[in-house]
Amino acid sequence: MRGLEKLVTGRLEGVEHGSGVGMDALTQYRNSVKERLDSADVLVAKLVHENTVLSQTVETRTQEVENVRHQLKTLQNRVAELEGREARQEEEIEIVKDLFEHLCGVRVHKSYEDDTGLWFDASQGSRNGIMDYKLGFVKNESSAGTEVVYVPLLKQRSSDELRALQKQLPGYMFDTLSFPLKSLYQFYSKMARSLSKKIE
Amino acid sequence: MRGLEKLVTGRLEGVEHGSGVGMDALTQYRNSVKERLDSADVLVAKLVHENTVLSQTVETRTQEVENVRHQLKTLQNRVAELEGREARQEEEIEIVKDLFEHLCGVRVHKSYEDDTGLWFDASQGSRNGIMDYKLGFVKNESSAGTEVVYVPLLKQRSSDELRALQKQLPGYMFDTLSFPLKSLYQFYSKMARSLSKKIE
């Protein structure tokens, strides 16, 4: 615009200092002024339009930010809720394991799954003696039932502890065994009775 | 701007049709044109500035939307991860409960906490007989140890079932009992032996 104005001012000076003021020069000048004001009009209209479009975009983006922030808040609440539930579930697992340790004398240390089935590392017993073992629950292909695999874990035992356990438990409990699921309780009971025996 | 332009054009016509073209009128006109073009300049500058500010706001908001969307994505992943873990934990709780049902003949139905302590609803037994009971683990104020509260649950039993249970279990097992935690395993064993008795 500064450029345009300079031009107009220059022309006006030309009119002033010319040999006379003809109608042609004035008309020319008037047209030139009109043209320049029209250009300014067009530029202003264009800028106003751009402003409107930009304002709408700002409005849209602001709304979008608000919406996304709202979703964020909802998700944050969901995460907090899930984290709380996770903590309570971990506690529940521990509580159930503790219950069974006190009630039945069996501590489950860990459980894991592999291609063959579901496995637990556990310890059973009391102050008279403790046996560590692994129990596997595997699908029996032929009977279509579940087979239990018992694996004694004796590596952590000292020779004194081993001798004591050998006095309490029947010999077959020092080998890997396999039996149907329905015999598991019988196996557990036998183990429990054996481990409760006092060693002289 | 249209209004301004009208004014300029009008003045120009005045200049044309007047008695002569004096320097005063021209100067006046030139100043008027300059003023109008200056106003247009100011308006355009104002609009351009507004545009710049709005464009920056759009840029900022767009960046904000992007940032919040990124946080949203992170949280969505976290929710998916937590939901997966929750499902696995629920499964683990069920797996541990199943293990103990098969291993020890005790099914834990539910656990809950109240002001007095931790409570479990459970069933113990086998095909020869099943006893439903509630076990509470409460703090013993005097001994500072944990006391177990046993409450038999007999409401679901038919009179035939009750008679059968009365043949298997010692009479005291039909009353609410309280004993120290260390006697729990002994209590469980007594219950297990009693419930395994065959009724003739």
Side-chain angles (χ1 to χ4, degrees):
Chain A
M1 280 306 284
R2 285 285 156 202
L4 280 182
E5 192 190 311
K6 278 265 166 55
L7 210 65
V8 173
T9 318
R11 270 174 190 274
L12 204 58
E13 274 158 10
V15 170
E16 276 177 343
H17 301 112
S19 53
V21 181
M23 285 306 261
D24 280 3
L26 256 178
T27 306
Q28 215 180 344
Y29 176 55
R30 191 180 66 175
N31 289 345
S32 148
V33 166
K34 192 178 177 303
E35 202 177 288
R36 271 147 197 80
L37 286 169
D38 279 351
S39 298
D41 257 8
V42 167
L43 182 58
V44 166
K46 181 174 162 288
L47 286 170
V48 165
H49 175 70
E50 279 176 19
N51 264 8
T52 309
V53 170
L54 282 168
S55 294
Q56 283 166 352
T57 308
V58 167
E59 179 67 30
T60 308
R61 289 283 183 287
T62 304
Q63 191 58 51
E64 214 174 335
V65 168
E66 207 173 290
N67 291 347
V68 184
R69 280 202 189 288
H70 181 74
Q71 291 177 51
L72 200 66
K73 188 80 199 138
T74 306
L75 274 185
Q76 280 166 338
N77 291 341
R78 175 92 181 119
V79 164
E81 184 201 338
L82 283 168
E83 282 174 342
R85 275 202 331 234
E86 184 179 32
R88 282 194 300 278
Q89 277 186 321
E90 271 169 16
E91 208 186 306
E92 196 187 335
I93 294 176
E94 283 314 302
I95 281 174
V96 169
K97 286 181 176 181
D98 284 353
L99 170 71
F100 280 106
E101 184 173 358
H102 289 296
L103 190 66
C104 314
V106 175
R107 179 77 202 175
V108 171
H109 304 298
K110 60 172 185 175
S111 62
Y112 47 98
E113 223 172 334
D114 68 13
D115 295 342
T116 59
L118 195 58
W119 294 85
F120 298 90
D121 281 4
S123 299
Q124 183 176 344
S126 63
R127 62 185 177 285
N128 291 332
I130 287 172
M131 184 69 175
D132 301 327
Y133 56 78
K134 196 186 282 289
L135 282 183
F137 293 78
V138 303
K139 273 264 162 292
N140 184 321
E141 300 297 338
S142 54
S143 72
T146 298
E147 192 85 3
V148 177
V149 178
Y150 161 84
V151 184
L153 300 173
L154 298 162
K155 281 187 182 157
Q156 308 282 326
R157 293 278 158 259
S158 68
S159 49
D160 279 357
E161 287 175 322
L162 256 184
R163 259 193 297 277
L165 282 173
Q166 279 163 342
K167 283 181 189 167
Q168 291 180 302
L169 300 178
Y172 64 81
M173 283 191 175
F174 293 89
D175 289 322
T176 293
L177 297 171
S178 174
F179 44 83
L181 182 58
K182 66 178 171 51
S183 307
L184 181 58
Y185 175 64
Q186 195 185 327
F187 180 84
Y188 158 81
S189 301
K190 177 71 183 164
M191 176 78 82
R193 278 196 308 277
S194 304
L195 288 170
S196 67
K197 272 190 249 167
K198 280 215 173 80
I199 310 291
E200 303 306 312
Chain B
M1 279 304 286
R2 285 285 157 201
L4 280 183
E5 192 190 309
K6 277 266 164 54
L7 210 67
V8 172
T9 317
R11 271 174 188 271
L12 205 58
E13 272 155 14
V15 169
E16 275 177 344
H17 303 113
S19 55
V21 180
M23 284 307 265
D24 280 2
L26 255 177
T27 304
Q28 215 178 347
Y29 176 54
R30 190 182 66 174
N31 288 345
S32 150
V33 167
K34 191 178 177 304
E35 204 177 288
R36 272 144 199 83
L37 285 169
D38 279 351
S39 297
D41 257 6
V42 167
L43 182 57
V44 166
K46 183 176 161 285
L47 286 168
V48 166
H49 176 70
E50 280 177 18
N51 264 6
T52 307
V53 170
L54 283 167
S55 296
Q56 282 167 353
T57 308
V58 167
E59 179 67 28
T60 307
R61 290 281 185 286
T62 304
Q63 190 59 50
E64 214 174 336
V65 168
E66 207 173 290
N67 290 347
V68 183
R69 280 202 190 289
H70 181 75
Q71 291 176 51
L72 205 64
K73 188 80 200 138
T74 306
L75 275 185
Q76 280 165 339
N77 291 341
R78 176 91 180 121
V79 164
E81 184 201 336
L82 284 168
E83 282 173 342
R85 275 204 328 236
E86 185 179 32
R88 282 194 300 279
Q89 278 186 322
E90 271 169 15
E91 208 187 306
E92 195 187 335
I93 294 176
E94 282 315 301
I95 281 174
V96 169
K97 286 181 175 180
D98 283 353
L99 169 72
F100 280 106
E101 184 173 359
H102 289 295
L103 190 66
C104 313
V106 175
R107 179 77 200 176
V108 171
H109 303 298
K110 61 173 184 173
S111 61
Y112 48 97
E113 222 172 334
D114 68 13
D115 295 343
T116 59
L118 196 57
W119 293 85
F120 299 89
D121 280 4
S123 299
Q124 183 176 344
S126 63
R127 62 186 177 286
N128 291 332
I130 287 173
M131 184 69 175
D132 300 326
Y133 56 79
K134 196 186 281 292
L135 283 184
F137 294 79
V138 303
K139 273 267 160 290
N140 184 321
E141 300 298 338
S142 55
S143 73
T146 299
E147 192 86 2
V148 177
V149 178
Y150 161 85
V151 184
L153 299 173
L154 298 161
K155 280 186 184 159
Q156 308 281 328
R157 294 279 155 260
S158 69
S159 50
D160 278 357
E161 288 175 321
L162 257 184
R163 258 192 298 276
L165 282 173
Q166 279 164 341
K167 284 182 188 165
Q168 292 182 301
L169 300 177
Y172 63 82
M173 282 190 177
F174 293 88
D175 288 322
T176 294
L177 298 171
S178 173
F179 44 83
L181 182 58
K182 65 177 170 51
S183 306
L184 180 59
Y185 174 65
Q186 195 185 328
F187 180 83
Y188 157 80
S189 301
K190 177 71 184 164
M191 175 78 81
R193 278 195 308 276
S194 304
L195 287 168
S196 66
K197 273 189 250 168
K198 279 214 175 81
I199 310 291
E200 303 308 313

